[in-house]
Amino acid sequence: MLHVFRNTPHGREELLQAAHFCNTVQASPVVYIPEFTKFLLYLENDVVQVDLDKTFLRSPETAREHVEEIMAEMNVDSWRFFVPRHFSTPALPDVPVGFHFMGCPHTIADLRSKAGAGYIGPRIRRILASATFPVLLFSPVFKPFTRIAVMFGGKANAATALRLAVRLHRLSGLPISMYTAEEGRRGRKYYEKLLSKNALTGVFAQSVSDWHIFPRKEFIDNLYRIPHDALVVMGAYGHGAIRQLLMGSTVEIIQAHLPNSLLIAGPHYRGMS
Amino acid sequence: MAFAFRIKQWIGRVFPQGPAGEDRLLLIVFGAMVGVCSGLAAVALNTSLHGMESFFGQYRYNWWSFLLPGIGAALSSIFLEKIIREGAGHGVPEVIYSVSRHGGLLRMRSTFSRLVSSSLTIGSGGSAGPEAPVVMSGSAIGSNIAKTFSLNERQRIALVGCGSAGAVAGIFNAPIAGLVFTIEVIVGEWTALHIVPVAVASVSGAQISRILQGNQIPFTHLHFDVDVTTTVAAAGLAVVTAGACVLLTRMLRGSHHLAGKVPVPLWVRAAMGGLAVGIIGLFLPHVLGEGYHVIRKMVEGSFDGGFLLVLTLVLAKILATSLTLGWGGSGGIFAPCLVIGSFAGLMFHRGVDALLPGLLSVNEGAFALLGMAGMISGMLQAPLTGIFLIVEVTGGYETILPLILVSVISSTVSHAFEPSSFYFRDLVKKGHYLRPRTDAKVLADLRVSEVLEKDCISVPKNMLLGDFLKVVQQSRRNYFPVIDESTGEFAGMVHLDDIRPYLFDSLLHDTVFLEQIMAADTETVDIDDELSDVLDRMDASGAYSMPVVSNRRFVGMVSKATLLDRYRKELMLQTTD
């Protein structure tokens, strides 16, 4: 799991979450301490320039030490630092994308006025739209999660989200709760058919402990049902800027109302090997 | 995106793939589209450059005019670094890097950023050219069109080439030069797959430029009576231009290196370089800007001043270009090369004329042309680009014999002193100059994870030899990774040869542990290592396979046999037209 570290109290919370996530799902954190305020992610059909704010470059002399301390505190034995080998220009390192996960704050650029709940920065959205790995959006404060809540909305990427949740369940043993905001009057049968169509009925029966279906109109009210200590797993459709502007994004609605960490699989996520 | 996908499907239906699955017709359509867009970018740059020149020109006669290049360079740097956040380099090397390493992926912001920044630098008097910025812009347009239509990597590289060709063709009104420069410098692959769409893009770019700016060539077409003496003398000029190329390359590098040591923000650094150029310009105004007006005078044979002045101008232009580009201004080296080359040609003609009066019967303007060709060919180490560019921008074919000679000799002599051209040097140094169908490119396109052999049986280090022999019976491999079962970490390797001494002593089967016979100091490979490095290490140690370890855990083996198999498949993929 790629983690871009910032040597600040917020950065500490983020790394604690990344470490806990990796311990839980048996992943190995790869920590990048940036030396420049930007880096490039060459994704399959896109190149995303990630512009970091200056907090990511704070106190470089203590950054390594702080990472080592946190990793020791969280008992992460299998981790390493990432040092870029390739540079597109002398001040623009390339960060490889062959990771299973990437950890991000919900906005990574210096947009303080927008860095509130309900806002996901454009760079993060681009990463989500093109990445072949899921992105973990950190909550403001570290809290160990003890269960998995998967959002199964019936859209194209819902099945991907459920598969990802099941995979995490197998790795961690954590129980899965499934949440569906019912569109119109489709009813439970519609979603069961959807599970069957995606060959997920068996997996669902074995792995999902409870399924909550509620009307789409009451979506925000029903987010209260999601446990405070759950890792929320969901799929993102990755629609374009105009549709985003007109219709908003479910990811942003959830991010605005839930303090939990979100693990989001974009449309190009192909599943874990 | 869905709309773009539908258009791509429609184009695919109208222009179906050929029998071998070629997509040339599809690429011709996209090539034309990219050529038009990059031609428009070239026209936009030309227009904004003229706008900037007239804006800054009104202050040119004030006593403080020496500050203008500094102000322009600072604004250019602020625009790139603070507003666009480009993290900019020289432009063309970035395009080549992207083609070599990342299938031609370029950022959207690069489609316009250099157009604005280079207008500010050059329009204010900085010694640079608009060609590299427009190549960057055109290539980024090609890349982003390919991205929008979800084209594959091979098609995307072709469209990056189309963008570059359309841009060069548009800015110089020189379609052949656009084609040749792209194939020789950017794509590096003379195959029909690239030549066809790139040629179409060149035509589109030049045509757009002709529609919007008129069918003009940058320099006046004059008739030169070239005789055998001129052709022979061109060889001497080639040595002079090669010397100027080496000097310019080293000055650019030295200047960049020196600027990097000055602990000030980038825009202040750019301003310092620009200010120094402004001071030079106070005494020698010919070094300021792109300098095409000076070239016109030299080609027409109406440039005043003696040998020493021209020599001084050669050196001053080299210094001014190094200060502009090395210290953070934005622009390319094409135009400065043309100016330096024409000064060098003039200097050579006047020098020969002073030593051997009457030997050279041809007008000195012809030597200005030859100097330009020598300088471009030497600097880019791309002789065809030099030859075709000068033929097209001057509209004269009669100088073709000495042009060819000066271009090939200049590039050869430059190569002897600087083995890589200005564009390629850093890329070669870092191993990023990867041309298609080469060993380095094939290896760079493969990852350790793609050649990983996962059918190895891991064994714990406290396993008894007797138990291990049962494992060996079930396996077809000679190597066995040994794991520390308490931590899961890789501990070493056991090869069948290692157990041979113990095989026939059954007493040892129940007393020897694998920890005692394994090779604990086995050299390992990281999953993120480059395959070329892995292969070098195998060659150095004489090993045929090595364990791959990630985060101290064994993940598989990498062997020469599997590598060769994947290498062959990748090579076949890259060489299928």
Side-chain angles (χ1 to χ4, degrees), chain A residues 28 49 77 80 86 89 94, chain B residues 85 87 97 107 432 528 552:
Chain A
S28 305
Q49 178 174 322
D77 55 353
R80 66 186 165 95
H86 303 305
T89 69
D94 303 347
Chain B
R85 297 184 174 202
Y97 172 78
R107 290 165 290 168
H432 292 158
D528 293 329
R552 300 196 290 271

Side-chain angles (χ1 to χ4, degrees), chain B residues 4 38 73 109 179 196 200 251 260 285 291 367 380 393 401-402 410 445 470 480 491:
Chain B
S38 49
R109 66 189 77 186
L179 167 68
V196 173
V200 171
M251 289 278 281
F367 274 80
L380 307 187
V393 297
L401 295 183
S410 181
D445 283 355
K470 289 172 193 160
F480 296 86

Side-chain angles (χ1 to χ4, degrees), chain B residues 14 24 106 151 228 284 312 326 384 402 415 430 466 552:
Chain B
V14 177
R24 289 180 198 174
L106 288 162
L151 300 188
V228 66
L284 299 164
T312 311
L384 290 180
H415 180 75
K430 291 174 189 163
R552 300 196 290 271

Side-chain angles (χ1 to χ4, degrees), chain B residues 249-263:
Chain B
T249 306
R250 292 185 181 176
M251 289 278 281
L252 275 166
R253 204 184 306 144
S255 187
H256 189 72
H257 186 67
L258 183 66
K261 288 185 176 172
V262 181

Side-chain angles (χ1 to χ4, degrees), chain B residues 13 51 123 127 209 240 304 357 411 457 480 513 520:
Chain B
R13 275 201 298 273
S127 176
S209 166
V240 174
D304 298 328
S411 61
I457 301 174
F480 296 86
F513 290 96

Side-chain angles (χ1 to χ4, degrees), chain A residues 1-2 39 41-44 48 50 95-104 124 126-136 157 160 164 234 263-272:
Chain A
M1 175 182 184
L2 174 67
F39 63 84
L41 287 173
Y42 283 95
L43 302 163
E44 195 168 329
V48 179
V50 179
V95 173
V97 293
F99 296 99
H100 287 124
F101 302 98
M102 180 178 176
C104 283
I124 305 298
R126 286 259 314 268
I127 295 170
L128 284 174
S130 304
T132 52
F133 45 81
V135 176
L136 179 65
N157 229 7
T160 311
L164 173 60
M234 59 185 300
L263 183 67
I264 304 170
H268 292 280
Y269 170 60
R270 294 199 199 101
M272 289 162 73

Side-chain angles (χ1 to χ4, degrees), chain A residues 212-266:
Chain A
H212 308 265
I213 301 178
F214 43 80
R216 176 88 196 173
K217 283 187 291 188
E218 297 162 20
F219 179 62
I220 293 172
D221 297 336
N222 278 287
L223 288 177
Y224 192 85
R225 293 194 197 186
I226 295 174
H228 62 96
D229 56 351
L231 169 71
V232 178
V233 179
M234 59 185 300
Y237 185 71
H239 36 65
I242 295 171
R243 195 167 155 186
Q244 181 88 30
L245 198 68
L246 293 173
M247 301 173 69
S249 142
T250 309
V251 174
E252 289 194 350
I253 294 170
I254 291 176
Q255 196 270 327
H257 291 87
L258 277 180
N260 306 43
S261 299
L262 308 181
L263 183 67
I264 304 170

